[in-house]
Amino acid sequence: MLGIVRQKMLEQSLKKIPPAVSVLRSYSSAAKQMTIRDALNSALDEEMSADSKVFLMGEEVGEYQGAYKITKGLLDKYGPERVLDTPITEAGFTGVAVGAAYYGVKPVVEFMTFNFSMQAIDHIINSAAKTNYMSSGQISVPIVFRGPNGAAAGVGAQHSQCYAAWYASCPGLKVLAPYSSEDARGLLKAAIRDPDPVVFLENELLYGESFPVSDEVLDSSFCLPIGKAKIERKGKDVTIAAYSKMVGYALKAAETLEKDGIDAEVINLRSIRPLDRSMINASVRKTNRLVTVEEAFPQHGVGAEICASIVEESFAYLDAPVERIAGADVPMPYAANLERMAVPQVEDIVRAAKRTCYRSESREIDSQHCGGRS
Amino acid sequence: MALSHLAASASRSSSLLKPLSSALSLRRSISGDNSPLTVETSVPFTSHQCEAPSRSVETNPKELLTFFRDMALMRRMEIAADSLYKAKLIRGFCHLYDGQEAVAVGMEAAITKKDCIITAYRDHCTFVSRGGTLLEVFAELMGRQAGCSKGKGGSMHFYKKDSNFYGGHGIVGAQVPLGCGLAFAQKYSKDETVTFALYGDGAANQGQLFEALNISALWDLPAILVCENNHYGMGTAEWRAAKSPAYYKRGDYVPGLKVDGMDALAVKQACKFAKEHALKNGPIILEMDTYRYHGHSMSDPGSTYRTRDEISGVRQERDPIERIRKLILSHDLATEKELKDVEKEVRKEVDDAIAQAKESPMPEPSELFTNVYAKGLGVESFGADRKEVAFLREAMHDYSFLQMEKSFYALSFIAQRSHSSVGTAHPVLIYPGLYWEDSFSTKKEEACA
């Protein structure tokens, strides 16, 4: 029954994929386009081909071709010994995967969404993240936990939470959040090759989006470093730091801001843990203003951590308080208008950026975005 | 209920003796030999969904003497740990295994070091049976560098990967899916070996256990789930925690065997049987009927939920070391004095190891930050005061410093020397292998090595 419910949600959310972001990027030549879905699929394929110890495990990853078709074709190619359909028992199969990683094989575990990872979180934190430390380096855990994270469209409160901050607070884990296809390919490959447990946070609504990819990205040895952010758009007036889908929103906001004479620098965090503090700080020391953007709940979130990092290291460089744009502090509602209010929109990022620049719009009360008190 | 099968086994000892060789008139040396001996287990095995193995166990004098010595060592070690805890040299949690030694020793006799064992937090003796030394045990308990986890794990986190001992887990029940995962990896790697995942009667009701069992049965994993039923989950007796305390039957479609866990030979026979079964047919459950003399941990006197009579009753009737002693004596494999000498030797070994462990230093302060990751990638690890790290970071512009021996004292010296002005932040690892990464370049190469 759960399978049917999840399938219906998949169909609903597939209908709501927003149009592809059309922002000019300064990638190297070659205009080949690739969807995130294909980027992830090709990364999995290449890594499984290169290393026979890599195998996939998760609900519907095999015969169903993947709940979101990320693992399409892999069962046919690698067989049921390496692409394993699990029963709907997250605690059990995650524990099994971590135990396998202790022995030295390399599981890539799919959570249908990271909301379900909460059933297995003890194994992610206590069995995977901490073991290399507790065993003083005897037992490393080369495992990847991947799946869609954060809000989708109309899936309600139990299926919309972003777990970046939760996992990123834990030493021993690495947490990655790709945005573009280049990110998806490079970071997933890095994650699979990495000897530590990696939480790989994808975004369901980005799966169908296309991004240009260069030949270098398409090469099977392509890999991005973990712990390094990327400057998606250079600017000098305000830094906007975001991850995953919000990078696209930040880039759109930057376009809008440009028309008002504000030159925004957009940082794609790529890596939530380790956080690329040095790049963010260097950027803020240049622009003197910062807006952090995330879809997640604001309290104790990624934006809060970035703000703390700036205050600790670059306080003297700030010309305005750090602005934090995040999801609303409520469980995700279902009604479309309320859902829209519960996640950041481009206008929110623009408004926050203007506040840091002390533009007059900052005091306007937008009727659609009044801050309610619960 | 727990005492239901404390039937006096003393009277049975005479019926247990069926040596094959009749030339036993000559006294053998204490080291024993390999001439075969067949002994009957104390009670027959009870099985669920499978044929029970025979009660007759093949053994030899050498093995019996080894059992005696190993169990005596473990017993002495646990009692010494009790004293160390009371002397406040061991902190936090300390869960003692005395009474249950036969399970560790019997299991080891049936398998090789290529088979995997994983257990919960009552892991000191299992670690020793896998080849861990007394020094590693005591040093780890006291949080010293010579410990098996270099002092960073503690009582509940002993590991020995080179003998395929995977810990040492603090979360009740978590080790069972992990153990099934080890079995999965063994099958995946085509190693023809098995995994023994040990858990207690308290953990036997955990949902993740049944999830892992389902997966193991579905995928035919060579996983052997061993319930060390000492009849009490902390302070809760089995009949108060489980609707069905017949743990060997709880696997439903998975076969099970109930074993007298105080009889090392029965344990050996059952584990041998289970290994053969698991390699051919997938998972099997072994329920070891055993008993712990101590409470759940050092903070539990162990007498509020059970009577002292019960504890002393088990000690008199079913103690695993006494069983082997009687077997050895009745077979004339050694004299009483020789066995007492072994116990004295073992006591001395333990005392020496404790003395040596006490000399081992505490970990270097820089060890706080090591092993967080297998591959650090220039990650910063912050201590309690992040500003202290900031000082150290500024000082790290000097590359030549990075070649120095990374002692804590060198780092703090540099910290005192550095300026407080805000410079450009470069991330460094405060690991002994100190390492400075240029923050602006994209170092793809080493990240993807």
Side-chain angles (χ1 to χ4, degrees):
Chain A
M1 190 203 132
L2 273 169
I4 298 170
V5 170
R6 286 177 190 177
Q7 191 170 0
K8 286 201 175 132
M9 284 184 291
L10 162 63
E11 283 161 13
Q12 274 182 350
S13 57
L14 277 175
K15 287 181 201 144
K16 293 187 182 168
I17 291 176
V21 175
S22 57
V23 173
L24 287 169
R25 277 175 248 276
S26 54
Y27 290 121
S28 46
S29 60
K32 190 154 193 285
Q33 294 277 328
M34 189 181 228
T35 61
I36 301 278
R37 182 174 282 116
D38 289 340
L40 295 170
N41 185 279
S42 60
L44 289 169
D45 191 349
E46 286 161 22
E47 292 305 306
M48 286 181 78
S49 168
D51 186 349
S52 61
K53 289 191 173 154
V54 177
F55 67 95
L56 308 183
M57 194 189 257
E59 293 156 13
E60 313 297 356
V61 295
E63 291 187 15
Y64 196 86
Q65 308 297 325
Y68 300 99
K69 303 293 178 268
I70 306 299
T71 52
K72 184 172 182 176
L74 296 176
L75 173 65
D76 283 339
K77 189 164 178 188
Y78 296 102
E81 283 181 6
R82 293 184 69 193
V83 179
L84 295 127
D85 281 323
T86 63
I88 306 176
T89 52
E90 275 77 6
F93 72 69
T94 306
V96 167
V98 175
Y102 283 1
Y103 195 78
V105 292
K106 297 185 185 176
V108 178
V109 178
E110 177 175 303
F111 289 117
M112 199 177 281
T113 77
F114 265 90
N115 299 281
F116 312 140
S117 75
M118 290 198 287
Q119 306 221 304
I121 201 166
D122 176 60
H123 281 297
I124 299 173
I125 306 292
N126 281 324
S127 302
K130 298 179 182 172
T131 295
N132 195 61
Y133 191 82
M134 291 193 296
S135 69
S136 197
Q138 266 188 78
I139 300 180
S140 72
V141 190
I143 192 168
V144 176
F145 303 104
R146 53 157 292 271
N149 174 62
V155 293
Q158 292 179 345
H159 291 80
S160 304
Q161 192 165 334
C162 171
Y163 292 87
W166 282 30
Y167 289 121
S169 72
C170 183
L173 282 183
K174 292 172 180 165
V175 180
L176 302 175
Y179 163 60
S180 62
S181 298
E182 175 181 328
D183 293 351
R185 262 184 67 80
L187 293 176
L188 186 55
K189 279 162 159 302
I192 294 173
R193 295 179 201 180
D194 199 277
D196 291 308
V198 181
V199 171
F200 192 83
L201 304 171
E202 303 160 4
N203 187 294
E204 194 212 307
L205 299 178
L206 285 179
Y207 282 151
E209 280 206 25
S210 289
F211 295 83
V213 283
S214 66
D215 287 337
E216 191 199 353
V217 172
L218 291 171
D219 187 72
S220 65
S221 65
F222 176 68
C223 185
L224 286 173
I226 291 177
K228 289 267 170 279
K230 180 181 183 201
I231 297 179
E232 293 283 349
R233 181 191 196 280
K234 268 192 151 34
K236 57 176 175 44
D237 292 333
V238 57
T239 300
I240 306 178
Y243 63 92
S244 189
K245 184 148 152 286
M246 293 291 113
V247 175
Y249 282 32
L251 288 166
K252 281 211 188 113
E255 274 174 39
T256 309
L257 288 165
E258 196 173 16
K259 299 193 189 95
D260 284 330
I262 297 176
D263 187 19
E265 176 150 292
V266 175
I267 296 183
N268 173 4
L269 291 175
R270 281 181 170 175
S271 178
I272 315 294
R273 185 176 184 109
L275 197 58
D276 195 347
R277 295 169 207 279
S278 59
M279 184 181 285
I280 302 169
N281 273 280
S283 172
V284 171
R285 287 178 185 197
K286 183 175 69 168
T287 65
N288 311 120
R289 296 160 215 282
L290 175 64
V291 177
T292 66
V293 189
E294 63 202 291
E295 251 187 338
F297 297 138
Q299 192 165 338
H300 310 298
V302 174
E305 177 62 29
I306 295 176
C307 180
S309 175
I310 299 300
V311 165
E312 282 165 6
E313 299 188 27
S314 312
F315 184 67
Y317 289 77
L318 284 173
D319 285 348
V322 174
E323 292 283 346
R324 194 172 42 151
I325 294 295
D329 230 340
V330 299
M332 184 67 71
Y334 168 66
N337 64 328
L338 295 180
E339 188 185 51
R340 194 178 182 280
M341 286 165 62
V343 289
Q345 302 299 331
V346 176
E347 308 90 77
D348 296 312
I349 307 173
V350 170
R351 200 183 315 112
K354 286 187 175 173
R355 279 203 296 267
T356 64
C357 299
Y358 295 102
R359 297 299 174 88
S360 60
E361 221 183 296
S362 62
R363 291 285 168 214
E364 243 171 70
I365 295 173
D366 185 340
S367 59
Q368 286 201 335
H369 290 270
C370 46
R373 289 191 201 279
S374 56
Chain B
M1 259 186 81
L3 308 180
S4 55
H5 33 259
L6 286 186
S9 55
S11 57
R12 292 194 200 181
S13 56
S14 51
S15 65
L16 295 177
L17 314 180
K18 290 185 176 56
L20 293 179
S21 159
S22 57
L24 278 180
S25 50
L26 292 172
R27 205 41 65 73
R28 290 201 171 75
S29 76
I30 191 70
S31 58
D33 59 55
N34 291 324
S35 59
L37 209 54
T38 304
V39 177
E40 289 233 317
T41 62
S42 60
V43 290
F45 299 102
T46 324
S47 67
H48 167 76
Q49 306 268 23
C50 66
E51 283 277 315
S54 149
R55 270 179 85 174
S56 303
V57 186
E58 301 235 323
T59 180
N60 56 65
K62 184 165 180 210
E63 180 170 77
L64 291 175
L65 290 161
T66 310
F67 278 6
F68 181 83
R69 188 175 210 286
D70 288 348
M71 290 199 282
L73 187 83
M74 290 174 182
R75 178 67 59 89
R76 199 63 246 135
M77 175 181 81
E78 295 294 75
I79 292 174
D82 178 311
S83 308
L84 287 174
Y85 193 91
K86 289 177 174 144
K88 295 200 166 32
L89 285 162
I90 299 176
R91 308 176 317 121
F93 292 125
C94 191
H95 305 88
L96 299 175
Y97 200 71
D98 52 315
Q100 300 183 215
E101 298 90 350
V103 177
V105 154
M107 181 180 293
E108 201 58 48
I111 62 178
T112 71
K113 293 289 190 290
K114 290 206 166 16
D115 297 306
C116 300
I117 298 184
I118 191 170
T119 185
Y121 42 76
R122 207 176 295 279
D123 58 349
H124 308 161
C125 298
T126 316
F127 171 74
V128 166
S129 71
R130 285 261 95 180
T133 66
L134 288 172
L135 173 62
E136 285 175 318
V137 170
F138 289 117
E140 187 60 36
L141 289 173
M142 294 195 276
R144 310 293 176 98
Q145 281 184 24
C148 54
S149 300
K150 310 232 175 55
K152 286 162 74 165
S155 165
M156 299 185 288
H157 304 296
F158 287 12
Y159 303 87
K160 196 164 166 61
K161 187 159 186 189
D162 56 18
S163 325
N164 285 304
F165 177 58
Y166 290 87
H169 292 271
I171 307 296
V172 170
Q175 76 276 16
V176 178
L178 294 172
C180 295
L182 292 169
F184 175 89
Q186 287 172 316
K187 184 169 178 177
Y188 188 91
S189 311
K190 300 188 170 37
D191 283 347
E192 292 294 305
T193 49
V194 300
T195 296
F196 287 81
L198 280 65
Y199 61 100
D201 47 294
N205 303 306
Q206 277 262 316
Q208 56 184 323
L209 191 154
F210 294 95
E211 293 186 16
L213 201 58
N214 177 49
I215 291 177
S216 303
L218 212 50
W219 296 348
D220 281 316
L221 302 182
I224 298 154
L225 274 63
V226 180
C227 179
E228 292 184 282
N229 183 6
N230 58 24
H231 308 286
Y232 296 93
M234 203 155 143
T236 305
E238 59 183 338
W239 55 271
R240 285 179 63 218
K243 185 73 179 169
S244 162
Y247 301 107
Y248 70 109
K249 287 189 188 164
R250 296 274 293 271
D252 185 17
Y253 42 81
V254 170
L257 202 64
K258 186 164 171 159
V259 184
D260 178 1
M262 306 296 257
D263 178 352
L265 291 168
V267 171
K268 173 185 154 183
Q269 184 85 321
C271 291
K272 192 153 161 284
F273 171 78
K275 177 170 174 173
E276 278 163 31
H277 182 278
L279 283 171
K280 282 203 304 280
N281 307 323
I284 182 168
I285 296 180
L286 297 179
E287 181 186 336
M288 303 288 179
D289 184 351
T290 182
Y291 201 84
R292 55 164 162 83
Y293 297 137
H294 269 87
H296 163 72
S297 70
M298 287 304 299
S299 57
D300 170 25
S303 51
T304 57
Y305 47 86
R306 49 186 192 173
T307 61
R308 291 193 201 278
D309 284 343
E310 180 188 296
I311 305 171
S312 51
V314 175
R315 213 187 264 278
Q316 265 169 9
E317 309 288 330
R318 297 180 68 208
D319 185 271
I321 301 177
E322 290 315 304
R323 169 186 300 284
I324 296 293
R325 189 199 305 268
K326 283 188 195 124
L327 213 51
I328 289 174
L329 292 177
S330 57
H331 274 82
D332 269 342
L333 304 178
T335 61
E336 266 205 56
K337 180 177 182 309
E338 281 168 332
L339 292 182
K340 284 234 175 337
D341 284 343
V342 168
E343 286 180 297
K344 281 207 195 96
E345 258 175 55
V346 142
R347 200 184 173 121
K348 181 168 189 313
E349 251 186 73
V350 167
D351 289 340
D352 286 346
I354 292 178
Q356 214 185 337
K358 282 180 179 169
E359 311 248 310
S360 176
M362 302 203 74
E364 291 294 316
S366 56
E367 285 289 327
L368 178 64
F369 299 111
T370 58
N371 307 123
V372 177
Y373 295 107
K375 191 171 179 188
L377 299 171
V379 150
E380 267 172 331
S381 283
F382 291 101
D385 184 348
R386 301 157 80 94
K387 292 297 183 175
E388 188 134 307
V389 174
F391 270 118
L392 295 169
R393 287 207 321 262
E394 263 115 58
M396 295 315 154
H397 296 307
D398 182 4
Y399 234 113
S400 61
F401 170 74
L402 296 172
Q403 312 311 317
M404 270 171 67
E405 266 302 301
K406 315 297 183 290
S407 73
F408 173 75
Y409 299 104
L411 292 174
S412 59
F413 169 69
I414 296 296
Q416 286 155 31
R417 260 194 341 161
S418 70
H419 310 298
S420 57
S421 63
V422 177
T424 46
H426 296 282
V428 290
L429 276 180
I430 315 298
Y431 293 9
L434 237 166
Y435 156 116
W436 175 34
E437 195 166 51
D438 179 340
S439 55
F440 292 102
S441 68
T442 316
K443 285 227 167 129
K444 293 185 190 177
E445 316 81 54
E446 91 250 313
C448 304

